[in-house]
Amino acid sequence: MDNRAIGFFDSGLGGLTSVQELHEKLPNEKVLYFGDTARTPYGSKSESTIKEFATQIVDYLVSKNCKMIIIACNTVTALCLDSLRERYPDIPILGVIEPTVKKVVADGCRKVGVIATKATIGSDVYGKSIRKLSPETEVSSLACPALVPLIEEGFVEGEIMELTVRHYMDDFVRESGFDNLVLGCTHYPLLIKTFDKLYPGIKLYSSSAEVINEAAEILKDKAMMAGPNDYQDRYYASDLSDNFITMTELLFRDRDSRISLKKLGE
Ligand code: DGL
């Protein structure tokens, strides 16, 4: 049994969607979350900048004695998973992409759309990984760089978000003809209602969800599952935006959670 927290991080509030999955599946596990709200979005930044930010955050989570780290961000997973694992070989560090790819392939999807940030799409990590496991699967990808900033500003439902989603998706859906869509950014599961309303025939795959099944397997194998404990979750943000606070309180109102400002390097 291991009651230390699991460390999660993202460029902002997107990774909270992965924490939601954790609470549903493994309610005993305690969370230490870091959202880099002062520097969001990551997805349009250079690889070296994203690596620098991600390394600072993982150093911080390790200094807080987390038993496992979940990179609740596709952009960081795409660009930094290997280097972070090399830096901390003794701590399980999980990314969100591989578990999502495995699920898509296990479900036998033949035509798959992927939407994500510019950096994730630029890396073609989804395309390469899906084709490696299932060469006959057709993968079409599209970067949607305006979605994360809008979500960070609280535009999750309503006319502005619907117009923005349609701006990216209408032609993409028509031209690519897929019936499965990977939400390849952990912010996007907050838009599931909007996607279901606009494109009801398309099956959605959330990149926030599958990693939690992988986490459960590893914790079980290593006998590191948490038992009953004081359950206080900690949420840190590098800038305490109203929306980060509102979203955290809304999603986790049934848990004992504390939200604090944390500037890295202080
Ligand atoms: N949630 C992050 C992801 O999964 C968003 C990255 C960004 O800040 O652009 O890619």
Side-chain angles (χ1 to χ4, degrees):
M1 195 164 88
D2 188 337
N3 284 346
R4 290 176 298 156
I6 298 179
F8 281 77
F9 73 100
D10 179 44
S11 65
L13 55 79
L16 299 176
T17 57
S18 220
V19 175
Q20 257 186 314
E21 301 282 341
L22 178 88
H23 288 334
E24 248 170 59
K25 291 179 181 142
L26 301 172
N28 277 347
E29 297 298 334
K30 233 178 349 192
V31 167
L32 196 165
Y33 184 94
F34 186 89
D36 202 359
T37 44
R39 304 189 289 198
T40 193
Y42 281 8
S44 303
K45 294 187 170 64
S46 67
E47 181 166 347
S48 63
T49 298
I50 295 166
K51 274 199 169 136
E52 184 191 326
F53 293 171
T55 306
Q56 282 174 356
I57 297 169
V58 172
D59 286 354
Y60 172 67
L61 295 174
V62 170
S63 78
K64 292 299 206 179
N65 198 25
C66 290
K67 64 179 174 184
M68 166 184 273
I69 290 171
I70 296 185
I71 306 174
C73 175
N74 287 263
T75 306
V76 173
T77 303
L79 302 180
C80 315
L81 180 62
D82 294 343
S83 59
L84 292 171
R85 282 180 170 162
E86 263 168 43
R87 191 171 174 88
Y88 291 109
D90 298 329
I91 300 178
I93 300 183
L94 278 57
V96 285
I97 295 176
E98 200 188 301
T100 312
V101 165
K102 282 188 185 156
K103 173 76 176 148
V104 166
V105 172
D107 283 0
C109 303
R110 286 290 171 264
K111 275 188 163 213
V112 181
V114 178
I115 53 169
T117 65
K118 270 189 198 166
T120 303
I121 296 300
S123 74
D124 192 29
V125 60
Y126 273 102
K128 285 181 194 153
S129 312
I130 293 172
R131 282 189 296 268
K132 197 168 158 194
L133 296 178
S134 172
E136 65 282 11
T137 299
E138 230 176 81
V139 183
S140 314
S141 305
L142 182 74
C144 303
L147 296 184
V148 168
L150 278 176
I151 294 168
E152 287 288 333
E153 287 300 329
F155 293 96
V156 169
E157 283 172 33
E159 199 183 348
I160 291 177
M161 184 48 88
E162 283 182 20
L163 281 172
T164 312
V165 167
R166 292 196 55 189
H167 162 77
Y168 287 122
M169 291 291 298
D170 279 358
D171 288 348
F172 184 47
V173 171
R174 201 172 31 247
E175 285 161 18
S176 307
F178 50 81
D179 42 13
N180 304 283
L181 178 67
V182 174
L183 303 177
C185 169
T186 53
H187 282 71
Y188 300 171
L190 294 165
L191 307 179
I192 281 176
K193 264 195 198 165
T194 302
F195 276 92
D196 280 343
K197 177 177 168 191
L198 296 176
Y199 311 101
I202 294 181
K203 180 167 179 194
L204 302 176
Y205 285 85
S206 158
S207 60
S208 305
E210 294 304 318
V211 68
I212 301 304
N213 295 327
E214 193 191 347
E217 273 170 36
I218 294 173
L219 292 174
K220 210 167 149 210
D221 280 358
K222 294 183 182 285
M224 284 169 72
M225 288 271 193
N229 60 76
D230 63 14
Y231 298 114
Q232 194 184 61
D233 300 319
R234 303 293 304 258
Y235 293 88
Y236 292 100
S238 51
D239 187 55
L240 273 187
S241 62
D242 292 348
N243 202 36
F244 183 85
I245 297 172
T246 309
M247 194 60 92
T248 308
E249 286 177 347
L250 183 79
L251 294 177
F252 308 124
R253 55 181 174 261
D254 298 335
R255 306 260 312 182
D256 180 6
S257 312
R258 193 169 343 149
I259 306 170
S260 322
L261 178 69
K262 174 71 199 161
K263 298 266 180 213
L264 290 179
E266 279 176 10

